[in-house]
Amino acid sequence: QQQVKQSPQSLIVQKGGISIINCAYENTAFDYFPWYQQFPGKGPALLIAIRPDVSEKKEGRFTISFNKSAKQFSLHIMDSQPGDSATYFCAASSADTGTASKLTFGTGTRLQVTL
Amino acid sequence: SQTIHQWPATLVQPVGSPLSLECTVEGTSNPNLYWYRQAAGRGLQLLFYSVGIGQISSEVPQNLSASRPQDRQFILSSKKLLLSDSGFYLCAWSVPWAGFYEQYFGPGTRLTVT
């Protein structure tokens, strides 16, 4: 019940296209959903996050769409650029973890944006 | 602003040798601290977390241990390394803000056990 399932495992998108990565969860207590971007050899960087009281959050070219009833959320990268090529992780957390604020991570999606 | 440091950046150690990885956070007080391991091409596995000095919670039983001797220092240790301990070790911090629990990661330590 603590799992976060992420798909696809890898994704190739042409420059200027839209990249879409999906995540699904089971634990209805999850109330915080961040996305992280990781370049090779670097630590993951927090990209954007959403709480379930909104259905969409946009920051620049990055948008999170959230469907509470379906227990799914997705990351959309508009006008994808070669510099977006990285591994993306979704995650979820809940107040059940108390002050620990533990995150449950998806397995990651390797995105490659081609010219 | 807050920054997080990890050292060393890379480490090659023989099987059976001890390990000590250090993580420090600057610019914040009373952070939660976390140790993750990432195997090659894999996701993030939470190893330990700490909500305060001397308070360590283990997520996965294994050959590793963690300690928090100071508020902003987190140490990952092993008495005898195994080949399976190889991986990319990441430290992270967070400060609870009214229900938001954003975690920020350090640059990581690449450990190769030979």
Side-chain angles (χ1 to χ4, degrees):
Chain A
Q1 196 179 17
Q2 290 294 323
Q3 272 189 315
V4 176
K5 296 182 180 180
Q6 184 172 347
S7 63
Q9 189 174 17
S10 63
L11 182 62
I12 300 175
V13 174
Q14 280 196 324
K15 179 182 176 181
I18 302 174
S19 302
I20 302 175
I21 304 170
N22 301 299
C23 285
Y25 63 96
E26 291 294 325
N27 186 355
T28 55
F30 284 149
D31 61 358
Y32 171 68
F33 303 89
W35 284 89
Y36 285 83
Q37 178 189 58
Q38 185 180 30
F39 294 104
K42 306 294 184 183
L46 181 61
L47 192 60
I48 187 173
I50 197 169
R51 296 202 73 180
D53 51 351
V54 297
S55 61
E56 186 175 281
K57 183 175 181 179
K58 184 177 181 180
E59 291 185 2
R61 297 184 293 109
F62 299 91
T63 300
I64 299 178
S65 296
F66 184 80
N67 186 329
K68 187 174 182 179
S69 61
K71 292 183 286 186
Q72 295 176 346
F73 58 109
S74 59
L75 176 69
H76 295 236
I77 306 174
M78 311 300 288
D79 186 27
S80 298
Q81 299 296 313
D84 297 330
S85 297
T87 299
Y88 293 81
F89 293 94
C90 63
S93 184
S94 77
D96 290 352
T97 64
T99 57
S101 60
K102 294 189 291 181
L103 289 173
T104 299
F105 281 88
T107 51
T109 296
R110 180 173 291 185
L111 171 65
Q112 181 181 355
V113 181
T114 61
L115 294 171
Chain B
S1 63
Q2 300 88 3
T3 56
I4 179 169
H5 304 279
Q6 287 187 245
W7 64 88
T10 60
L11 191 60
V12 180
Q13 293 283 94
V15 167
S17 63
L19 173 74
S20 181
L21 303 181
E22 189 167 342
C23 169
T24 58
V25 180
E26 297 177 356
T28 188
S29 298
N30 304 314
N32 290 345
L33 296 173
Y34 310 83
W35 278 113
Y36 290 86
R37 177 170 58 202
Q38 187 174 30
R42 303 285 297 276
L44 295 153
Q45 179 186 33
L46 178 63
L47 302 175
F48 302 93
Y49 66 92
S50 171
V51 299
I53 297 174
Q55 300 179 60
I56 308 296
S57 296
S58 174
E59 287 293 291
V60 181
Q62 59 210 318
N63 186 40
L64 302 168
S65 62
S67 61
R68 185 170 177 174
Q70 301 180 41
D71 181 45
R72 289 169 288 178
Q73 184 184 32
F74 206 21
I75 296 173
L76 184 69
S77 304
S78 174
K79 292 182 179 179
K80 290 185 178 181
L81 283 169
L82 305 172
L83 285 174
S84 58
D85 291 325
S86 293
F88 192 44
Y89 287 83
L90 291 155
C91 181
W93 68 274
S94 74
V95 177
W97 299 96
F100 277 92
Y101 297 109
E102 300 174 347
Q103 285 189 24
Y104 299 93
F105 285 83
T109 294
R110 175 75 59 192
L111 171 66
T112 303
V113 182
T114 61

